[in-house]
Amino acid sequence: MKLYSIFSLARNALNYHKDWPRAWRSPEPRPEYDVVIIGAGGHGLATAYYLAKEHKVTNVAVLEKGWLGGGNTGRNTTIIRSNYLQDESMAIYELSRKLYEDLSQELNFNTMFSPRGLLMLCQTEHELRAMKRTNHANRLAGIEARMIDTAEVKRLVPIINDSPNARYPILGAYYQPRGGTGRHDAVAWGYARGADSRGVDIIQNCEVFKIIRDDDRVTGVETSRGTIRAKKVAVVTAGNTSPLMQSAGVNMPLESVCLQALVSEPIKPVIDVVVMANTVHGYISQSDKGELVIGGGADAYNNYSQKGTLPALEHTITALVETFPIISRLRTMRMWGGIVDMTGDRSPIIGKTDVKGLYVNCGWGTGGFKAIPGSGFVFADTIANDRPHPIAAPFGLDRFLEGRLIDESVAAAVAH
Amino acid sequence: MLLITCPVCGNVGDETDFHYGGQAHIRRPASANPGEVSDEAQRDYLYVRLNPKGLHFERWRCDRGCAKWFHMARDTVTMEIKACYGITELPPREIIAQIPPSNPWYGFFDQRQAEPASTAAEPKNAELESTGER
């Protein structure tokens, strides 16, 4: 791997940047690997990276049916935060947020982590109370965040409608100063480059049709490029997890639905924090290009088409126009959907399955991007040692058997 | 955008006139003694979903019309609505015949079709089995 630096930039400038090597190879799949990871999104690539770096497991393939980072990794609204309510959630999301802090140095790739601050608006009395509760929980866990009043919200977000006569008036906000955004593509590319340079094969355009079992043990996968044998198979396929796991005989506690997002035309800077308005189902930030990046609640019904419907977007935009009146005349530039896998408690599933050698990392629902580094870190440890990492352990599939849910369905404060 | 016709009142509307109710034909693993229900059966009933890529069977409610629940057979990739049928009914036979072997619903209705009509779709509480079958 050629390191990126000011010197390599200057050196390559002399050749008009014609001699940069490819950031990762495109190898032919080998017939057998120690570990096959299905899905080259952020979580899959981070898993491969930490397997190679932390556990020296390098005979690894990451199989991707489309192109690298083309699924939900490239479709989210890039929000990074860790202000969750439950202890188990705080542990993994805060680990992840901390890893984001110096991920660019770690990967020698600019992931554009921008801890610009994140506000969760409180627009009803009970939302205010719920956020105070979360605040206390976060402070106990050492996560830096605080409640702020309406005046400070207005100071941080001058374009916000702070009228007490608004349908949902701003009563305050829960503020995480080190929350923010990152560059989603760069996270995938950085992990891909880091994993590839340590010997991991990233194989794109290789769709996995079936997970092959021999009795109670996984033996490989059937793909569009032939059968690939593997001692361990890790499924990291977000919205497509259910069909793939069913091919191995495992029914998952998941439902796949479409989550949409959109960006406006680019405008001059108007908002330099992330604002989440959870009561009215909308969140907004401004990208470095000037587009307002807008997301909202998921569509209601099961969907594998990566296309959402207009009512969900209309709902989001209606809410945000009320909260930020000046955006009413902006034009929408792009809108898109991604298929997210929802668990009953809105917490992820990370860990082993009843099939030996088969691991699964899924169920991130509407909030997977923020978790990429932490998820990859603990999942790699889980695969390498064939036992759950302590932070991953509460998120095992067995919690549904034991009724030991990690209930973030309200506390996550995102419109699910 | 789905355009839906309620099989109960005939109301025609788009998806915002209706409410989604999740997977259909789920049976509660009840028995005279709830302690006999296995953890696996209870988990499957509460959380595990077939979540197929393709033909799916769902519950919907006619919010802006008769307010009744009904069943729908819908493709989760093409969004095509194959049939809407009553809340106590099994899917039409020709729809069941369309379920491909790769779909987790394949074979699901075989046993229920063989049951007496009065219990086949949604049996009353007293008739619920203790087998844990969904």
Side-chain angles (χ1 to χ4, degrees), chain B residues 9 11 17 62-68:
Chain B
C9 67
N11 177 38
D17 291 343
C62 181
D63 270 4
R64 307 276 198 277
C66 61
K68 294 280 193 265

Side-chain angles (χ1 to χ4, degrees), chain B residues 18-39:
Chain B
F18 294 82
H19 185 84
Y20 186 60
Q23 180 176 326
H25 305 296
I26 296 173
R27 281 183 181 177
R28 181 175 176 177
S31 79
N33 178 7
E36 288 172 3
V37 177
S38 70
D39 288 352

Side-chain angles (χ1 to χ4, degrees), chain A residues 25-92:
Chain A
R25 301 162 295 132
S26 283
E28 284 298 310
R30 296 204 290 269
E32 179 160 12
Y33 289 93
D34 288 343
V35 180
V36 160
I37 297 169
I38 309 172
H43 291 261
L45 292 165
T47 304
Y49 174 82
Y50 291 115
L51 265 178
K53 178 169 179 259
E54 304 289 335
H55 305 283
K56 311 300 175 211
V57 180
T58 56
N59 187 16
V60 177
V62 185
L63 310 182
E64 169 56 48
K65 73 172 173 183
W67 67 95
L68 188 158
N72 291 349
T73 302
R75 293 166 189 267
N76 60 74
T77 48
T78 78
I79 293 171
I80 297 166
R81 64 186 180 91
S82 62
N83 51 357
Y84 281 71
L85 176 64
Q86 310 292 351
D87 290 342
E88 301 89 343
S89 314
M90 283 188 270
I92 191 161

Side-chain angles (χ1 to χ4, degrees), chain A residues 65 240 242-243 246 251-256 300-305 309 311 344 400-401 405, chain B residues 1-2 15-16 20 39-40 43 47-53 56 60 74 76-77 79 104 134:
Chain A
K65 73 172 173 183
N240 283 292
S242 288
Q246 275 155 6
N251 276 332
M252 297 295 288
L254 292 172
E255 302 242 38
S256 296
Y301 47 83
N302 290 28
N303 182 342
Y304 279 89
S305 72
T309 56
F400 297 98
L401 194 63
L405 302 185
Chain B
M1 178 79 86
L2 303 179
E15 63 189 49
T16 58
Y20 186 60
D39 288 352
E40 286 77 10
R43 171 199 61 192
Y47 306 115
V48 173
R49 296 293 176 261
L50 297 176
N51 195 20
K53 187 174 189 171
H56 193 25
W60 286 78
R74 185 178 63 91
T76 60
V77 179
M79 302 294 132
R134 285 195 308 278

Side-chain angles (χ1 to χ4, degrees), chain B residues 25 27 71 86-90 112 115-123:
Chain B
H25 305 296
R27 281 183 181 177
H71 282 148
I87 194 68
T88 61
E89 294 169 11
L90 289 177
R112 299 209 185 172
E115 293 171 5
S118 62
T119 60
E122 305 299 334

Side-chain angles (χ1 to χ4, degrees), chain B residues 2 8 15 19 26 52 59 72 86 96-97 107 110 131 133:
Chain B
L2 303 179
V8 182
E15 63 189 49
H19 185 84
I26 296 173
R59 293 178 303 182
M72 181 190 293
I96 294 176
D110 292 355
T131 59
E133 179 227 0

